[in-house]
Amino acid sequence: IMYLRKSRTDRGYAEESVELTLSRHRERLTELCDRIGIRCDTILQEVSSADSITGRPEMIRLLQMVETGAYDGVVCIDMDRLSRGSGADQAMVISTFKYSGTKIITPGKVYDFAVETDEQFAELSLFLAKQEYRQIKKRLYQGRLDSVKEGKWCASKAPYGYESYKLTGQKGLSLRIVPEEAEVVKMVFRKYLSGEGLGCGSIAAWLNGAGLRTRTGSSWRLRSVHNILRNPVYKGDTVFARYKSETTMEGGETVTRIRHNAAPVTAPGLHEAIIDRETFDRAQELLRGHRAATQHIGEGLKNPLSVVARCGI
């Protein structure tokens, strides 16, 4: 089996496409296979973080295939492509290869877990890769934080109403207005502050009725409108960590949920605002007074007093 993985936190590939990186790795591994006489029946590839195996479907499939003992080895660019996350993940990878008698073949070394020193070397390699991964994450986080404080845009996608572009003569990105989308953003704020009592769901229905669609061509939803009204980018700020992940243990398994961050990092942006600050602040005040009741899609409201009965304090 040939396994290829491009991590989102890889260094040196910021200006290189995912396809180019994976094709280079595949070319190197194909040359290795030809040189030592290996035939790969299956090629698995994915683009994912090394944080956890649970978020990497192709890696899970790889381990299931290795467990069968039907393969002589797995060819990959380096040990850290398999795992550099938690100790539990690393132990599972090594155990799966060890007890199935499957080798790990890289351009630098062949790991045969029937040999005790190879198992120790693999454990050391994964441990060092994990430490390196932690340092990379710290540097990336600090780099993004510094960019935001300089007014630059550091997220992967530009919000509706803007497009990202490379700054001239310096590192980083900024945003420029997409006129047609910006008009829709202004329309959303006007409708919400019009005094007609329109909520996010009503505005979404109005946009759909007017034949307007989101950037992806889908219909507007309550959450789409709510996100526009809440996003400080529209008043000319850059923002970092609007959402944060929280990991807990439930039933012996780790569960990660994405939560709204009450205190994101914001700074004046280099981009032009679509909404003036006074208008944006008025919308926030109105949103705080008209918080929607939380309910899951396909389920009714479980508590009929939600957002009706309020604590006096």
Side-chain angles (χ1 to χ4, degrees):
I1 308 169
M2 183 185 292
Y3 178 71
L4 305 163
R5 179 174 70 84
K6 166 74 168 68
S7 174
R8 296 187 183 93
T9 55
D10 280 344
R11 293 174 298 174
Y13 297 114
E15 306 297 330
E16 191 173 282
S17 70
V18 170
E19 294 75 16
L20 181 56
T21 302
L22 291 176
S23 66
R24 283 180 173 174
H25 287 181
R26 181 184 294 201
E27 186 177 335
R28 283 184 61 192
L29 294 180
T30 301
E31 289 174 357
L32 172 66
C33 293
D34 292 341
R35 188 168 69 250
I36 61 179
I38 291 175
R39 178 175 60 85
C40 288
D41 297 308
T42 306
I43 298 177
L44 304 177
Q45 69 177 46
E46 59 190 341
V47 179
S48 61
S49 168
D51 279 334
S52 174
I53 286 176
T54 55
R56 294 162 52 192
E58 291 300 287
M59 183 62 194
I60 294 173
R61 183 183 168 198
L62 172 72
L63 292 177
Q64 291 169 344
M65 294 170 73
V66 168
E67 281 177 359
T68 64
Y71 295 87
D72 294 316
V74 169
V75 184
C76 59
I77 205 73
D78 205 348
M79 276 289 289
D80 67 3
R81 295 301 88 187
L82 298 177
S83 175
R84 55 180 180 182
S86 69
D89 282 353
Q90 293 177 6
M92 180 170 63
V93 169
I94 290 176
S95 296
T96 303
F97 279 86
K98 179 180 178 181
Y99 297 125
S100 64
T102 309
K103 297 177 182 178
I104 297 175
I105 302 158
T106 72
K109 180 175 173 57
V110 176
Y111 297 85
D112 183 353
F113 294 101
V115 180
E116 185 178 352
T117 53
D118 275 13
E119 182 180 352
Q120 293 170 345
F121 193 81
E123 289 173 348
L124 178 61
S125 297
L126 290 177
F127 172 77
L128 293 175
K130 180 181 178 181
Q131 301 311 309
E132 181 191 26
Y133 181 58
R134 285 176 172 171
Q135 292 303 315
I136 291 171
K137 286 180 70 177
K138 285 181 182 178
R139 285 194 292 269
L140 284 173
Y141 182 88
Q142 189 59 49
R144 294 180 70 187
L145 193 59
D146 292 343
S147 291
V148 167
K149 290 178 179 179
E150 292 169 4
K152 298 174 183 175
W153 179 251
C154 67
S156 56
K157 291 192 300 183
Y160 185 86
Y162 290 102
E163 62 180 359
S164 59
Y165 71 97
K166 179 78 172 64
L167 289 167
T168 305
Q170 58 178 311
K171 289 184 178 180
L173 305 172
S174 189
L175 299 171
R176 57 177 161 231
I177 291 176
V178 178
E180 317 83 64
E181 294 182 359
E183 285 304 313
V184 176
V185 172
K186 291 176 183 177
M187 211 178 298
V188 166
F189 277 87
R190 279 200 301 269
K191 284 284 181 184
Y192 191 66
L193 296 171
S194 65
E196 299 174 20
L198 294 176
C200 296
S202 301
I203 294 173
W206 183 87
L207 291 171
N208 292 328
L212 297 169
R213 291 293 179 263
T214 65
R215 182 177 291 167
T216 59
S218 57
S219 300
W220 287 92
R221 297 179 180 275
L222 181 151
R223 183 57 57 187
S224 311
V225 173
H226 186 266
N227 286 341
I228 285 179
L229 292 169
R230 287 289 302 272
N231 196 339
V233 171
Y234 295 116
K235 64 174 179 176
D237 287 347
T238 53
V239 60
F240 180 55
R242 283 185 72 198
Y243 301 93
K244 60 181 180 179
S245 60
E246 293 181 355
T247 303
T248 57
M249 291 293 293
E250 296 181 10
E253 295 183 358
T254 57
V255 178
T256 302
R257 293 185 174 88
I258 305 300
R259 307 287 192 191
H260 193 275
N261 188 358
V265 179
T266 58
L270 299 175
H271 62 278
E272 182 184 350
I274 293 177
I275 303 298
D276 65 81
R277 291 182 179 271
E278 184 183 349
T279 301
F280 185 85
D281 291 342
R282 282 199 295 125
Q284 305 319 295
E285 290 178 13
L286 197 57
L287 281 167
R288 282 192 288 271
H290 295 86
R291 186 171 60 85
T294 301
Q295 67 184 83
H296 296 287
I297 295 172
E299 297 182 9
L301 195 61
K302 291 184 178 179
N303 186 347
L305 296 180
S306 290
V307 198
V308 176
R310 295 179 181 273
C311 172
I313 299 173

